[in-house]
Amino acid sequence: MIFFVPGYDAPTHANLTIARELFGSALMGSWACMPLLKDQATRQALFVALDRTRWPLFAMSHGSSDQLFAQDGDIALAEGDVAKLGCRPVYAFACYTASRLGQEAAQLGTTWWGYTGSIQSPVAEAPFSALFTEIFGYLAAVFAPAQTTVERLCVLEELAQMCQAAQEEVDRHASEQPDLDVQEAHLCLLQLWDRLRVWTPGAQQPEKHPAAQHPLLLM
C-alpha cells in the first residue's frame, strides 16, 4: 500500500503523527508498504509510486473538490491526473475530495473513498491519539478488500460503530478531566463516518452510511 501523508501545518502534522503511530503499531501486520511521509510526500514521488506499483493508495492531507495536496500545499493530484490511478482503490482523508476528484477517478475505474464537505483533523495527543490510530488502522486494512456494495456497507457500519464507541471514551476522559478540550475529537469522530463517500466505477451517486447527512447540509 502507498501511504501518502504530508506534514507542514497543524492539521497535516496531526495526520502525520497518527500515520507514524500506525506504522509503529501491530495494526500494520505484515503489509507491504511504501511510505511517502512529510518531505517525501511530493507529487513527483507519488507519480513514481503509482507507476511502479498497483498497490492501493491511502492518503491523509488537505484537499479541494478537484485536488489532493502534497507537502507544503503543492498539488499532488488534480482532475487531469486521475488516469494515473488506474483501477486501484484510493482512500483520501482530505476535505472535499469526494466531489469532482473522486467522481472523475471513479469514471476511469478507481474506487475512491473520500469526504464530502470539510473535515476536522484527528487529535494526535494523548489521551485521544490511540483512538484515532485504531480507527485509521481499521480503514487502512479494510477499504481496499471491500469490493462489493455489501462489503463496503459493512465497513461503513463498523466504522460508525467504532467512532461512536470512541466518542464514549472521549466523554469518559472528559468526565475525569473537566478542563480537557474534546470538541475537535468529537467532531473528527463524527465526520470520519458521516462525511465519508465511496465512488465506484460507473456509479451516478456515491455510497455512504445510511444515517449520513445529506451533502447539501455540509460545509
Side-chain angles (χ1 to χ4, degrees):
M1 187 174 296
I2 303 167
F3 279 81
F4 185 83
V5 189
Y8 60 92
D9 61 7
T12 55
H13 276 298
N15 292 341
L16 183 63
T17 298
I18 297 299
R20 284 174 169 165
E21 289 185 3
L22 186 58
F23 276 101
S25 74
L27 296 169
M28 296 301 293
S30 57
W31 295 352
C33 296
M34 184 181 297
L36 301 176
L37 308 179
K38 199 176 180 180
D39 292 337
Q40 295 180 322
T42 65
R43 178 180 173 89
Q44 180 179 5
L46 178 59
F47 281 15
V48 168
L50 295 175
D51 286 340
R52 288 182 177 176
T53 77
R54 306 312 304 165
W55 291 352
L57 170 62
F58 186 96
M60 301 173 70
S61 187
H62 287 302
S64 68
S65 63
D66 57 359
Q67 293 176 337
L68 178 71
F69 294 108
Q71 181 68 5
D72 297 324
D74 295 334
I75 297 172
L77 282 173
E79 282 187 276
D81 304 319
V82 293
K84 294 182 176 293
L85 297 171
C87 295
R88 81 186 73 225
V90 175
Y91 171 84
F93 181 75
C95 297
Y96 301 105
T97 53
S99 185
R100 294 202 306 271
L101 187 63
Q103 186 175 11
E104 288 295 324
Q107 296 309 309
L108 296 178
T110 300
T111 298
W112 183 281
W113 299 64
Y115 287 83
T116 186
S118 62
I119 50 174
Q120 170 65 47
S121 58
V123 178
E125 295 82 26
F128 302 140
S129 57
L131 298 174
F132 287 102
T133 300
E134 180 180 6
I135 291 169
F136 280 105
Y138 169 74
L139 284 166
V142 301
F143 85 95
Q147 297 183 4
T148 69
T149 299
V150 171
E151 290 171 340
R152 290 187 291 270
L153 181 59
C154 288
V155 169
L156 293 169
E157 180 58 35
E158 179 65 20
L159 174 62
Q161 292 182 14
M162 290 181 71
C163 289
Q164 289 157 7
Q167 286 182 313
E168 293 177 1
E169 185 70 8
V170 169
D171 287 338
R172 184 183 68 79
H173 285 292
S175 67
E176 296 172 354
Q177 305 175 59
D179 294 334
L180 192 63
D181 186 354
V182 300
Q183 182 176 355
E184 290 184 355
H186 268 301
L187 187 58
C188 184
L189 289 168
L190 170 63
Q191 293 172 345
L192 264 168
W193 67 269
D194 182 64
R195 298 193 173 188
L196 181 56
R197 301 292 186 268
V198 187
W199 280 103
T200 58
Q204 297 301 309
Q205 295 293 331
E207 298 172 0
K208 60 181 180 178
H209 189 280
Q213 296 183 64
H214 192 281
L216 292 178
L217 300 178
L218 302 179
M219 297 182 62

